[in-house]
Amino acid sequence: MPDIKWWGTPEKLSPRFIAEFEAMKQTYPDFKIPKKCFEEARLKWVGTITASLKEVPSDMRTVGVEILYPSERYPSESPEAHFLHDRFLTARDNVSGEKCPHLYFGDNSPCLFNPGNGSLFGWNPSRSTAASIVTWTAEWVHNFWVWKFTGKWLGAEHSVPANERQAA
């Protein structure tokens, strides 16, 4: 029996994959799924995010991004965002000389949310999609540039107070 992934088969796509595809097509139509992903059994979206702050150098405004789904446990586990090139991240220090606090340096992945904060403050398997991850990544890129110029991170911080959390 063939190994059937969460997205179904080429002959019969799963309802979840169809919902993911529609959400991405509607929200981020320029993001695409490379054809080889189905052959490699590792699904991902690839596209670009453009920073809109006028202070950002024009040659660093557009950032290549891939949204990589987990192989087995989707949607229980969220997709991951990865920057395809780190040119805009090469100067990881801000105006105060601090290192970026919300970046996994090993693979240039942005820290988008803390799973321990619950489904209201991050990935929710019943309602979040890859489009959610792209939106959070775009917010992260904006917050990165603000932090770079001012030293202040405007995005949500690592933890939400326990009395405001909801169990995932």
Side-chain angles (χ1 to χ4, degrees), residues 27-144:
T27 313
Y28 298 101
D30 293 337
F31 273 71
K32 306 293 182 209
I33 298 175
K35 290 183 182 185
K36 67 180 182 175
C37 289
F38 290 101
E39 297 163 11
E40 296 171 355
R42 193 72 199 267
L43 201 57
K44 66 182 172 184
W45 293 91
V46 178
T48 59
I49 292 172
T50 303
S52 60
L53 293 171
K54 65 180 178 180
E55 296 84 1
V56 176
S58 60
D59 65 333
M60 293 190 180
R61 286 182 191 219
T62 302
V63 181
V65 175
E66 76 175 6
I67 308 301
L68 183 64
Y69 290 95
S71 294
E72 303 295 328
R73 300 204 54 219
Y74 186 79
S76 297
E77 289 180 12
S78 72
E80 297 175 353
H82 297 273
F83 296 117
L84 296 178
H85 50 81
D86 67 353
R87 212 173 68 175
F88 88 109
L89 295 171
T90 52
R92 293 183 173 124
D93 300 346
N94 68 8
V95 293
S96 302
E98 300 168 317
K99 299 286 184 210
C100 183
H102 300 280
L103 180 68
Y104 300 110
F105 286 108
D107 61 3
N108 287 334
S109 298
C111 176
L112 302 175
F113 61 92
N114 180 348
N117 287 338
S119 60
L120 283 180
F121 298 96
W123 181 257
N124 183 322
S126 65
R127 71 171 192 265
S128 301
T129 65
S132 307
I133 299 294
V134 176
T135 298
W136 298 338
T137 305
E139 290 173 1
W140 189 98
V141 168
H142 174 82
N143 292 330
F144 171 81

